[in-house]
Tab-separated table of all heavy atoms in Angstrom:
chain	number	residue	atom	x	y	z
J	250	LEU	N	20.160	14.649	21.657
J	250	LEU	CA	20.141	15.998	22.321
J	250	LEU	C	21.389	16.779	21.991
J	250	LEU	O	21.306	18.001	21.739
J	250	LEU	CB	20.043	15.748	23.897
J	250	LEU	CG	18.770	15.120	24.393
J	250	LEU	CD1	18.983	14.579	25.759
J	250	LEU	CD2	17.577	16.061	24.327
J	251	ALA	N	22.569	16.076	22.008
J	251	ALA	CA	23.860	16.769	21.659
J	251	ALA	C	23.784	17.178	20.183
J	251	ALA	O	24.285	18.208	19.832
J	251	ALA	CB	24.960	15.812	21.970
J	252	ALA	N	23.244	16.278	19.327
J	252	ALA	CA	23.217	16.567	17.886
J	252	ALA	C	22.331	17.871	17.673
J	252	ALA	O	22.658	18.711	16.742
J	252	ALA	CB	22.632	15.405	17.143
J	253	PHE	N	21.256	17.993	18.417
J	253	PHE	CA	20.478	19.246	18.324
J	253	PHE	C	21.302	20.468	18.620
J	253	PHE	O	21.227	21.491	17.868
J	253	PHE	CB	19.199	19.184	19.235
J	253	PHE	CG	18.485	20.461	19.334
J	253	PHE	CD1	17.668	20.840	18.259
J	253	PHE	CD2	18.661	21.224	20.484
J	253	PHE	CE1	17.021	22.117	18.509
J	253	PHE	CE2	17.993	22.436	20.609
J	253	PHE	CZ	17.205	22.846	19.610
J	254	ALA	N	22.058	20.381	19.711
J	254	ALA	CA	22.933	21.522	20.137
J	254	ALA	C	23.914	21.810	19.030
J	254	ALA	O	24.227	22.947	18.709
J	254	ALA	CB	23.578	21.259	21.452
J	255	PHE	N	24.480	20.746	18.421
J	255	PHE	CA	25.444	20.812	17.395
J	255	PHE	C	24.840	21.640	16.184
J	255	PHE	O	25.525	22.521	15.583
J	255	PHE	CB	25.788	19.428	16.949
J	255	PHE	CG	27.143	19.275	16.287
J	255	PHE	CD1	28.317	19.712	16.908
J	255	PHE	CD2	27.234	18.673	15.079
J	255	PHE	CE1	29.541	19.586	16.358
J	255	PHE	CE2	28.544	18.522	14.437
J	255	PHE	CZ	29.629	18.990	15.082
J	256	VAL	N	23.597	21.224	15.830
J	256	VAL	CA	22.946	21.962	14.684
J	256	VAL	C	22.790	23.416	15.048
J	256	VAL	O	23.016	24.252	14.200
J	256	VAL	CB	21.558	21.239	14.423
J	256	VAL	CG1	20.756	22.114	13.403
J	256	VAL	CG2	21.786	19.881	13.830
J	257	ILE	N	22.292	23.746	16.261
J	257	ILE	CA	22.066	25.124	16.633
J	257	ILE	C	23.345	25.903	16.576
J	257	ILE	O	23.416	27.021	16.096
J	257	ILE	CB	21.378	25.213	18.044
J	257	ILE	CG1	19.998	24.530	17.963
J	257	ILE	CG2	21.330	26.611	18.539
J	257	ILE	CD1	18.989	25.333	17.131
J	258	ARG	N	24.453	25.344	17.213
J	258	ARG	CA	25.732	26.050	17.222
J	258	ARG	C	26.277	26.359	15.806
J	258	ARG	O	26.608	27.453	15.508
J	258	ARG	CB	26.797	25.272	17.968
J	258	ARG	CG	26.359	25.004	19.491
J	258	ARG	CD	26.417	26.232	20.367
J	258	ARG	NE	26.210	25.860	21.759
J	258	ARG	CZ	25.694	26.580	22.652
J	258	ARG	NH1	25.324	27.854	22.322
J	258	ARG	NH2	25.601	26.241	23.886
J	259	LEU	N	26.318	25.269	14.989
J	259	LEU	CA	26.966	25.419	13.732
J	259	LEU	C	26.070	26.140	12.660
J	259	LEU	O	26.600	26.940	11.915
J	259	LEU	CB	27.433	24.030	13.224
J	259	LEU	CG	28.825	23.600	13.563
J	259	LEU	CD1	29.127	23.594	15.089
J	259	LEU	CD2	29.197	22.238	12.954
J	260	LEU	N	24.832	25.785	12.638
J	260	LEU	CA	23.987	26.250	11.598
J	260	LEU	C	23.304	27.542	11.927
J	260	LEU	O	23.328	28.505	11.102
J	260	LEU	CB	22.938	25.184	11.215
J	260	LEU	CG	22.574	24.972	9.818
J	260	LEU	CD1	23.776	24.710	8.985
J	260	LEU	CD2	21.612	23.790	9.728
J	261	VAL	N	22.780	27.623	13.121
J	261	VAL	CA	22.027	28.865	13.484
J	261	VAL	C	22.918	29.964	13.931
J	261	VAL	O	22.800	31.140	13.559
J	261	VAL	CB	20.957	28.485	14.531
J	261	VAL	CG1	20.145	29.703	14.961
J	261	VAL	CG2	20.034	27.412	13.959
J	262	GLU	N	23.689	29.670	14.945
J	262	GLU	CA	24.601	30.698	15.572
J	262	GLU	C	25.638	31.240	14.646
J	262	GLU	O	26.013	32.368	14.616
J	262	GLU	CB	25.169	30.210	16.904
J	262	GLU	CG	24.139	29.964	18.012
J	262	GLU	CD	24.812	29.730	19.323
J	262	GLU	OE1	26.001	29.717	19.477
J	262	GLU	OE2	24.019	29.503	20.280
Side-chain angles (χ1 to χ4, degrees):
L250 296 162
F253 168 76
F255 204 55
V256 170
I257 294 294
R258 300 289 186 209
L259 267 58
L260 219 51
V261 178
E262 291 190 2

